[in-house]
Structure formats: C-alpha cells, structure tokens
Amino acid sequence: MTISDLRKTDNFFLLAGPCVIEGEEMALRIADRIVKITDKLGIPYVFKGSYRKANRSRLDSFTGIGDEKALKVLRKVRETFDIPIVTDIHSAGEAAMAAEYVDVLQIPAFLCRQTDLLVAAAHTGKIVNIKKGQFLSPGAMRFAADKVVEAGNDQVMLTERGTTFGYQDLIVDYRGIPEMQTLGFPVILDVTHSLQQPNQTAGVTGGMPQLIETVAKAGIAVGVDGLFMETHEDPSVAKSDGANMLKLDLLEGLLTKLVRIRQVL
C-alpha cells in the first residue's frame, strides 16, 4: 500500500480502532463494524491497534497480550477484511518485526525525534506516520520527516495530536495543519489523543470524549487529509486510554456528519 491509495478519493481517510489489542475476537468485531461504516460512506480506512503500549504512567498499567500474539491478531484483521493496518513501534529493533504484519508504522509523539527509530522505520519501505511531539512546533516536524526521506523512503505522513498546555492538558492549534501540509506530506488529526488530560497525580490519563465531535469537525473544516480516532465497544472497560476513546456506537453518526462537511468544502 502507498499513500496514494489512501488519497484515491476526495474524502478524508481514517485510521481507527482500539487503543491496544486486547484479544482477537474484540479486534475482529471492531474492524467489522468500522469496515461496514467506511464502505458505506466511501472513506478509505486503515485499522489501528497497538500491539504493545510502551508509554504508560505506572508500572502496573496494561501493556498488551504479548507482542507476537497481538501482531498475529493484526495480521488476522488484515487478511479477514483486506484492509491495511497501522501500529506503533517504540524502538529501532521493532521496525522490521512489525513491518511483517502491518502496512503503516506509526512513530509515537514522544519519540518523533529518535533518529535511529525513524531511519529503521524508513528502511522497511512501509508508510511512516510520525506523530508531532506535544513539545514541538508544526514547522519543526520537517526535520523528522527529512530523516525518513533521506533514509530512502518518501512515504511519510504527519499527525497533529495536540500541544502541551500547562502540566496536565493539551490544546490543538489548527494553524499547524496547513503549516505542516506545506511540507508536502499528508496531515492527519489525532482527535482522541488531542483530548487526553495527562494525570501526574493518579498516574491514570483522563480525557474529554465529549469534545471528540467538536475537534473532528474543526479538523475537517480546516482541510486535514485524514483523521485518527481510537474507538472501543465500551470505553469504560477498555484496558488503555478509555477516558478519551469514542464509543463505537457513535462512530457512524459522527463520520456521516464529517463527510457532509467535507463535501461542502
């Protein structure tokens, strides 16, 4: 798969799925629901699921069901529904391993300056989606993208996911979307992570899921190329990031509204 495949229509594309793979049946159910919705609305779709969560506030936080087991679940989703898959990688050594199972390698925001990680991802030949660090300006993302391109891979996407605002909040500066687009790469808005509220007191991240629709509408209005959303059948029992995920039952209604906005533009 190439970026051109995601931009084959005038619609935005979507990266969506659970925060982390909790099991095969759960992943297949969520993928099935989203595939049906995106096919109906004509939205190019990439299933998202982390095979492991490396960035946790507390040692006892859930990190995954095991790397190989989770990656095999991702491959099962890919083969069952014939859709591309995106997952996060956290170290250079993970790049080649994950690339055997997925189509897009995602660089977490906190790691977007890690040269060895970016170069290793580039060398797989897969699409590399780099999340903007919460501490970086939009323009500074050109240096992260340049590392991938100079390593021989021009299949790069950039993702806005909010900027640190004080100690326990994030804010989306929508000016950054067109600014990053001038770099020549598709820009994605990570709707749900932009609504995180990092908690340094309890060690459990909070969020504002009631604003998911607001943030998504604004992103489409300013012309973002793609959207990233984490969704779960019941966020209240999700094993990671439940506080800012979209309840799966709400996805079709939201995407229908967003497609209408896109059509107007």
Side-chain angles (χ1 to χ4, degrees):
M1 186 189 76
T2 67
I3 288 175
S4 296
D5 296 319
L6 295 177
R7 307 181 80 177
K8 59 188 176 185
T9 71
D10 291 331
N11 215 346
F12 59 89
F13 56 87
L14 177 69
L15 283 63
C19 177
V20 63
I21 297 300
E22 299 173 10
E24 181 177 303
E25 291 185 4
M26 162 261 207
L28 291 171
R29 286 196 309 270
I30 293 175
D32 181 59
R33 289 277 299 278
I34 302 178
V35 166
K36 289 175 179 174
I37 294 168
T38 52
D39 282 352
K40 177 181 176 181
L41 296 175
I43 301 171
Y45 173 52
V46 181
F47 178 85
K48 184 271 168 183
S50 294
Y51 67 89
R52 173 159 49 90
K53 300 300 294 183
N55 177 23
R56 303 287 87 188
S57 297
R58 291 167 35 169
L59 186 61
D60 61 354
S61 296
F62 178 78
T63 59
I65 60 175
D67 291 359
E68 185 177 3
K69 186 176 180 180
L71 285 167
K72 286 181 177 179
V73 170
L74 291 173
R75 182 166 61 191
K76 181 71 175 289
V77 171
R78 183 191 200 189
E79 293 173 348
T80 300
F81 299 101
D82 191 25
I83 53 175
I85 307 292
V86 56
T87 199
D88 307 277
I89 57 172
H90 316 91
S91 67
E94 295 178 39
M97 174 185 70
E100 295 183 16
Y101 298 86
V102 305
D103 306 273
V104 183
L105 298 177
Q106 185 163 273
I107 309 300
F110 283 127
L111 301 177
C112 69
R113 289 170 55 94
Q114 297 298 104
T115 300
D116 58 345
L117 177 60
L118 291 164
V119 171
H123 286 166
T124 68
K126 301 290 184 176
I127 296 173
V128 181
N129 180 32
I130 313 170
K131 288 194 171 185
K132 182 182 78 65
Q134 301 91 325
F135 45 85
L136 285 180
S137 69
M141 285 301 290
R142 72 183 178 92
F143 301 110
D146 283 349
K147 291 176 182 179
V148 177
V149 173
E150 290 171 12
N153 186 344
D154 64 357
Q155 294 294 295
V156 177
M157 303 190 297
L158 304 176
T159 293
E160 166 63 47
R161 54 95 69 237
T163 300
T164 299
F165 186 69
Y167 287 111
Q168 300 188 55
D169 206 357
L170 297 166
I171 191 166
V172 177
D173 181 354
Y174 290 93
R175 298 173 300 177
I177 291 172
E179 182 176 351
M180 286 193 287
Q181 285 172 328
T182 66
L183 301 177
F185 308 105
V187 174
I188 300 164
L189 174 60
D190 181 343
V191 179
T192 48
H193 284 107
S194 294
L195 291 167
Q196 279 184 333
Q197 292 182 305
N199 191 318
Q200 288 108 11
T201 303
V204 179
T205 297
M208 296 182 287
Q210 70 274 16
L211 292 179
I212 288 174
E213 181 170 326
T214 301
V215 171
K217 285 178 175 177
I220 295 298
V222 299
V224 77
D225 299 287
L227 292 177
F228 178 106
M229 287 188 232
E230 289 185 340
T231 183
H232 194 282
E233 294 163 311
D234 184 356
S236 69
V237 299
K239 295 184 177 181
S240 177
D241 278 0
N244 53 270
M245 275 200 278
L246 179 70
K247 186 173 175 58
L248 187 57
D249 286 343
L250 301 177
L251 183 62
E252 182 170 1
L254 173 58
L255 291 178
T256 299
K257 294 176 183 178
L258 299 178
V259 168
R260 289 173 181 166
I261 295 172
R262 180 71 167 210
Q263 289 170 343
V264 170
L265 294 175

